[in-house]
Amino acid sequence: MPGVNKVGVICADGFDAENKRKDGGGRSGAVVEVVGTVLTLLSVAFIIFTFPLTAWMCAKVVQEYERAVIFRLGRVVKGRAKGPGLLWFIPWLDVIQKVDLRTVSFNIRPQEVLTADGVPVKVDAVVFYRVVDPSLWVTRVKNGYAATHSLAQTTLRATLGAHTLTDVLTQRRGITVRMEKVLYAATRVWGVQVERVELKDLALPVTLQRCMASEAEAARNARAKMIVAEGEAKASRALMEAASGFSPVAFHLRYLQSLSSVSSSASVVVFSLPTELLDVFISHQALLSTNYTT
């Protein structure tokens, strides 16, 4: 069929073109590699022949906390990053980028976050990280500090937005651990290890602070009243148990002792009554309560 033949010819041409591109790319890459090898050998021979004069140009010192990533003709030299100590390179072929391996900290500026229960809060944090793979840090991300800072801001907003205000106030360590895991999963492809995330401050609206203060004060007042009531109940039970063991004479003596212990003052007037009147009054009250119940 004519249509099928045309399609077959077009497909064959496409495959041939793709194979040619692959072959051309492979040949050009091999040629570039050969040229780079030749230039490297010639440069090494030139440095050896003029060693006393070019030695100071081909040496660089890398500090203990640094590593050097070497680009030779635009490609990263194979192997791990160089350093620390004395480093030899070819100045007209190599480009050196130093990477600091020390722990870096930065502050996340206060962020307006809406919690899961609709409460607006302002929170800021601090992030600690360090570079563990200098080659990835140089080749995978352009401005690693700015990228990590932006990612930490968005992660902070997303993490706090998934929790209620109560969780944010009571589970701060759990929230920071979740942030650490999210940041580590996102930045490890850049050669970065996030070591720690801490929430510095949590600012609530003034009206919400007043409501929480009123709630806390009411709860404290309620607990205080309950404690006072329990103390009075225990004291009354203790007095009742103590009075039940007194004889009439001992009860009368205790009554007189209580009267003598009252401080004399112009505003205090004490009337002493016979205990028989109190007994009559108590028996009368008991009789009334019995009649009322029956």
Side-chain angles (χ1 to χ4, degrees), residues 118-217:
V119 178
V121 296
K122 183 179 291 186
V123 62
D124 59 345
V126 60
V127 179
F128 299 87
Y129 74 94
R130 65 184 180 93
V131 179
V132 294
D133 194 330
S135 299
L136 293 179
W137 179 252
V138 173
T139 58
R140 291 290 182 89
V141 60
K142 183 176 181 180
N143 190 346
Y145 179 83
T148 307
H149 193 278
S150 301
L151 182 62
Q153 285 185 354
T154 55
T155 304
L156 176 64
R157 297 174 66 92
T159 304
L160 293 181
H163 294 80
T164 62
L165 179 61
T166 304
D167 294 338
V168 174
L169 295 176
T170 58
Q171 301 179 9
R172 298 182 64 171
R173 184 53 190 163
I175 293 174
T176 55
V177 169
R178 294 187 189 96
M179 287 185 60
E180 291 174 10
K181 292 180 180 179
V182 173
L183 289 175
Y184 174 75
T187 58
R188 63 180 179 179
V189 295
W190 301 341
V192 178
Q193 179 180 354
V194 177
E195 295 182 340
R196 193 175 183 87
V197 179
E198 290 291 341
L199 298 180
K200 292 178 60 178
D201 190 17
L202 184 66
L204 301 176
V206 179
T207 55
L208 183 60
Q209 293 180 14
R210 292 175 180 173
C211 293
M212 294 178 66
S214 300
E215 182 181 0
E217 184 178 1

Side-chain angles (χ1 to χ4, degrees), residues 90-121:
I90 304 174
W92 49 85
L93 294 182
D94 298 342
V95 176
I96 297 178
Q97 290 191 12
K98 292 183 179 180
V99 179
D100 197 331
L101 301 184
R102 292 176 292 183
T103 300
V104 179
S105 65
F106 62 87
N107 295 324
I108 303 176
R109 60 184 181 84
Q111 301 287 314
E112 291 285 349
V113 181
L114 189 65
T115 59
D117 52 352
V119 178
V121 296

